[in-house]
Amino acid sequence: MVKKAVIFLFSTLFCVGLLKAEHIKGGEMYYTYNGPGPTANTNSYTVTLKLYIDCKATSPGQLDTAIPFTVFNKDNGQQYGDTALARLAKEQFINFDPASNPCISNAPTDVCYRIRWFTTIVVVPINNNGYTIAYQRCCRVANIVNLVSPSGNAGSTYTAELPGSVVYPEAYKNNSPQFVTNDVAAICANSAFTFSFAAVEIDGDSLSYSLCGGYTGGSTQSPAPIIASQPPYTQLNYQFPFSGTSPLGASSTINPVTGLITGIAPGVTGQYVITACAYEYRKGVLINVHRKDIHVAVSNCIPLKAYLDPNYVFCDDLKVSFKNNQINPAGSSYIWTYGDGSKADTTLDPTGAVTHQYADSGTYTVKLKVILAGGQCVDSATTSAKVYPGFYPGFIPQGTCILFPIPFQDTTKSRYGAASKWSWNFGDETTTADTSHQQNPSWKYSTTGFKTVQLIVESTKGCIDTATAQVEVRDKPPINLPFKDTLICSIDTLKINASGNGIFSWSPNYNIINANTATPSVFPKLPTWYYVSLNENGCVNNDSLRVRVVDTVTLFAGNDTTICAADSIRLNPSGDGLQFVWTPATAISNANVKNPIVFPSTTTVYKVTAIIGKCRKDDDLTVKTVPYPTSIAGPDSTICFDDTAQLNASIVGSRFVWSPTSTLSNPSILNPLAFPTTTTTYTLYAYDTLGCPKPGISQITVNVRNKIIAFAGNDTSVVISQPLQLNGSGGILYQWAPSTNLNNAAIKNPIAILSDNFTYIMRAYTPEGCEAYDTINIKVFKTLPDIFVPNAFVPGGKNRLLRPIPVGIAQFDFFRVYNRWGQLVFQTSNPAYGWDGTIGGKTQDTGTFVWMAQGVDYTGRKVFRKGTATLIH
């Protein structure tokens, strides 16, 4: 019987444990056989749960001192007896020491388990199918990467299986395997790793290992059930692409003999659930499945590891590439030896990537040594490299007919070894059984259309490659005819070169040889339709072609024609010839086509021969060449704006045409006057009556200078003896008159020094003589440099602006106007501007206003003036 406890005692011990724990990180339930129980036909077992919890778990709800085991009879699926109370027997902290392995960069510091052992005695009667012992608890830690979120709501079920008497004689006298406690390991993201699930078996039974799904149990509403739910138990909900059998992804596997997990860790850091099953066999009979569930941490660390594939096969080239299968810590150096007697290569590439040129084919032993930190950390790996280039997989289908299986022929070629393994996929969308491992298989399709057929082939040297092709399945085999309609001479025999897969049959049986082949010969004397039938394994297709028959060839080379010298013309003979030959074969695009282009330099007679088989006929035509009419429009010229140009053209021809004509005085003569306002190109077309249908063409451009707008500058004022620089514009060349008091009268910006008022006339002109004139009046004040402002002005009148008059001022700073309250009503830095007597658009009343002005004279002296001015209406 099961060792009993009072329900009151369970309630007292577990009341705190009913809290949602979120601390469990794995567990294993195992047992030892104690011998017969206290009553007949019973057995006694010591059952232990090794529970892994978070090292940071400290609250009473996370640190139970006793837990309940529930026993289920597998004969009827019902609970046997009361729950058994398992008390805390011992506990131990285990953790990974980051300083234990200096060859791991950024070693993890948080790999830690608090292991607690709970033990009790279970006594059960001998039965047929044995017993299941279970313990359930919720919940696991949060944010487990390979479980569907929220993983903190997923619980655990830990079980042990007691064998019955049916599976094997006295199988109940069994000690379960026990997984070795070797759980602290640094597993680094995207890096090679090992993790052991090896177990000890004291009965001498054999073990086989596999990865299996963990169980959930308990709930957030009932995190610590006193009585576990009945088996079977629900597997954890894994997050794709992970599963119970691939808890760390497809890149890692467990060795079924040793229980060692190896491979490449996932790239996402965090906690992962792994469950391993150890299958216990006694003399070949499975008597027990033992389970262990544990959370492992994948950390952001980088271990030093030489990690290669078990073997490499190179079938494309003697030049091959290798690299380490994981990234190592920064500063790692890689030393490669290739097994061919060549010198070793050393690289600092982050992946250890190298290329090597082998001199010959063969199987070589390749070694890699990885060194870090001056040789303190070293790892090495060895692999084999099979180098056998020249492997070319291929196949061809031997038919297309849907009625029968289509044979496929392997055409793989291999320079070394031979094809030895084949894996076909026939691309039949109606089934998943469309595969074969024969060398030359057949497949019967049930639908027509294009099928993607794939062949994966392997050679005796280990080369593996894939050939893929689109194969069309038809209900009618295609017939490829060389023509649908043709012409022969009555004395000819015509060979018809058809193609297709199957048996050909031609009709009617009239003047035909080899009527049951793809290439019959026919020699009808009358126009005849020939019909062909193609039979491919019962799939039949029909087609036809017509052979027309003539006794003679009809041909007309064409009328004689005239072209302009240096031009070309396409010849257009008529007739029923199938082939044409032209002579002479010079100055012709192609002498063997019906419609060549010819470009004779002189008058030429072209002879053409039209051919139908053995029949032929000749004809000719003359192509006369005539020079183009001569057109000479004359040299380009340049005129001033609003001027005219005299054109003087000449032609050799019978008539001419000018274009454009709108700016010509008389477009019907060769020497009109042109008066364009912008630059214009005139085209002269000359025609004659000698046979050249095209005009002779020439052009003349009349360039028109832009209109000159001469500007000598605004009238200005200076003081006596002040240098004044004039600045003219509008032309290319300049002339000032009179030249008195100027340093250079032939430039655009001469300097004048005046003692009295003066006026200059400026001529702006171009090299062609286009010109315009302007004047500038200069008032000379016989004072020192100063700023003058009138003392009164009338808005809108003759003196409508109150404006400063700077004399001898090189730099004008400001002119400001204030009202009698000291408010600024106007300001400017341009002496050309003045105040119009308004504020905000409103004209001011009569009154007195204060002004201020400032500038710098031509000697560099600052000049400041102020005064009053009266606004008068």
Side-chain angles (χ1 to χ4, degrees), residues 277-455:
C277 290
Y279 294 83
E280 184 180 4
Y281 291 88
R282 183 165 295 174
K283 296 184 178 180
V285 177
L286 178 65
I287 65 169
N288 178 32
V289 179
H290 186 63
R291 305 169 62 86
K292 177 181 177 180
D293 171 317
I294 192 168
H295 298 187
V296 299
V298 175
S299 306
N300 186 23
C301 51
I302 305 176
L304 185 78
K305 186 71 174 177
Y307 186 58
L308 302 175
D309 292 342
N311 59 77
Y312 294 82
V313 180
F314 301 100
C315 301
D316 297 325
D317 198 345
L318 292 173
K319 188 175 184 179
V320 302
S321 297
F322 298 99
K323 69 174 183 177
N324 199 38
N325 284 343
Q326 75 165 51
I327 299 294
N328 280 314
S332 298
S333 60
Y334 300 82
I335 302 174
W336 295 86
T337 56
Y338 305 106
D340 59 351
S342 63
K343 70 177 184 64
D345 282 338
T346 300
T347 179
L348 299 178
D349 181 86
T351 63
V354 293
T355 59
H356 180 68
Q357 179 75 46
Y358 282 100
D360 198 359
S361 61
T363 300
Y364 301 93
T365 298
V366 178
K367 297 180 179 180
L368 169 63
K369 180 186 288 186
V370 186
I371 303 175
L372 181 65
Q376 178 184 0
C377 297
V378 179
D379 196 25
S380 60
T382 300
T383 186
S384 68
K386 296 181 178 181
V387 183
Y388 295 102
F391 185 63
Y392 309 103
F395 65 89
I396 55 174
Q398 301 289 313
T400 63
C401 182
I402 192 173
L403 298 179
F404 296 94
I406 296 177
F408 291 89
Q409 180 183 352
D410 171 37
T411 60
T412 300
K413 297 179 181 178
S414 182
R415 182 178 178 186
Y416 301 99
S420 58
K421 295 180 181 179
W422 300 266
S423 179
W424 294 84
N425 186 316
F426 300 110
D428 190 336
E429 72 280 3
T430 66
T431 179
T432 59
D434 57 334
T435 60
S436 174
H437 294 287
Q438 298 178 15
Q439 180 179 7
N440 298 305
S442 297
W443 182 254
K444 171 69 170 64
Y445 291 94
S446 57
T447 60
T448 60
F450 284 94
K451 315 295 180 180
T452 301
V453 180
Q454 181 186 77
L455 168 62

